[in-house]
Amino acid sequence: MDPQGITACRSILHFIQLAQYPSHDNETLQYMKNELLSWHLNKDYFIAKGARSNFDIPKFHSLLHYVDSIKWVGATDNSNTEAFERLHIDFAKEGWRSSNKRDHFPQMTSFISRQEKKIESISVLHGAPGFLGALKLFLNDFLPPLDKQKKAGALGGFLPFRTLEVWHNFGLVPLKILDEPEKSLIKAQPLSTTGKPARFDTVLVLEEDSAQSTAVQGCRVGRLRVIFRLPHTVMDNRKGLMVKAPTDWPREPLGYVTWYTRFKPAPDQATGMYRVEPAIASNGMPHGAIIPLSNIRQSCMLVPGRMSWDKEWKSENILDECSSFFVNNLQTKYTYQTIY
């Protein structure tokens, strides 16, 4: 699509997001006016291309009255039922779909499951060839300085355990900004025995000290491959016995993410979205790291950043097949308020 068409779409979508703010001041109302003006300046693109003959549509006309209406009677969320419909999906539909439809109430309240997996199988099942190396590097940071010097290198270090507790998903409620944030169910789910496709969601990770609860500074996009926790007991090689794990090991849940390139100083001009690509090492392996699960700030959606669309792309393979993405900041009201 030509930049004029993209700008028109972006403007109307930004207007919709701004119109749903739960509170306003003169600055945010001016933002709405600017985006609506941009829409009207660029909408003729669709008429020129034959997509429409006109925009004489009552709903488009009503947009002209939004700012005055907000000034008179308050923010639009006073007459919005969207949040209650969303809660019905979270608390009823998702749990029902995850059950076997028999004795479903207990299943609907505890459908987030976990299981133990051998470390050797995780890399294969989760499409994470760098997991084992990243785990050794991560644990190397907890060795005493003398032990670190004796090691030939963290990648050659011995792991004193064979299994890990692994989860396939977790619920995340981001920090409240303006609206009540929607709870996200973030998945790192391998191919099931029933043939259900694997799903490894993309997330926004707090990577540097400069990272905050909004904006992208100090943050980085990663694809969550494994959700796990370190074991409470480990093998003592000298004694051949199981002993308690080191007291300084993290007890909180951890995640293994494969990285995308860091954010550029400014987003793409036409879309208003940041472009990222999978971060690949010179040996073809994806860059990845072990992170505390609490470093995941929020979920995020990636959309293809290429001009041409491959017919082989599907929802279950597009993150593996496409080489360039936009970070969609129009996914929800919350992402519009936080990803910029």
Side-chain angles (χ1 to χ4, degrees), residues 18 20-25 28 70 75 77 178-179:
L18 290 163
Q20 296 178 81
Y21 275 19
S23 63
H24 284 278
D25 57 21
T28 59
I70 290 171
D77 65 343
L178 294 177
D179 291 308

Side-chain angles (χ1 to χ4, degrees), residues 2-164:
D2 293 343
Q4 183 185 1
I6 295 176
T7 300
C9 292
R10 184 207 67 203
S11 299
I12 196 66
L13 289 170
H14 281 208
F15 179 90
I16 292 170
Q17 294 286 354
L18 290 163
Q20 296 178 81
Y21 275 19
S23 63
H24 284 278
D25 57 21
N26 289 334
E27 188 173 6
T28 59
L29 293 177
Q30 187 61 49
Y31 290 158
M32 290 178 63
K33 292 179 180 178
N34 294 343
E35 295 295 351
L36 190 58
L37 176 61
S38 177
W39 156 252
H40 285 299
L41 291 174
N42 291 282
K43 67 181 181 182
D44 286 346
Y45 167 83
F46 299 102
I47 296 176
K49 294 294 183 181
R52 290 202 61 83
S53 59
N54 63 70
F55 281 97
D56 296 333
I57 302 172
K59 285 188 176 181
F60 278 108
H61 173 77
S62 70
L63 302 183
L64 298 170
H65 302 290
Y66 265 54
V67 171
D68 288 337
S69 176
I70 290 171
K71 288 180 178 179
W72 294 336
V73 298
T76 58
D77 65 343
N78 293 320
S79 54
N80 187 1
T81 62
E82 188 177 87
F84 305 104
E85 293 187 13
R86 176 70 245 180
L87 290 176
H88 179 68
I89 294 174
D90 292 339
F91 295 136
K93 290 184 178 179
E94 291 294 341
W96 168 257
R97 289 168 183 158
S98 300
S99 74
N100 63 3
K101 315 304 183 289
R102 297 180 181 179
D103 192 24
H104 52 274
F105 283 119
Q107 297 178 58
M108 289 171 68
T109 58
S110 59
F111 70 93
I112 298 179
S113 62
R114 64 182 182 181
Q115 64 181 25
E116 275 199 347
K117 287 187 178 179
K118 289 186 177 181
I119 296 177
E120 292 82 356
S121 68
I122 292 176
S123 297
V124 177
L125 294 175
H126 290 253
F131 174 70
L132 184 59
L135 182 59
K136 291 178 179 179
L137 284 170
F138 177 77
L139 293 177
N140 192 54
D141 290 337
F142 297 94
L143 292 175
L146 185 60
D147 287 347
K148 289 183 184 180
Q149 293 172 8
K150 289 181 179 179
K151 293 286 182 183
L155 294 179
F158 166 74
L159 283 179
F161 50 84
R162 295 291 307 278
T163 61
L164 290 170

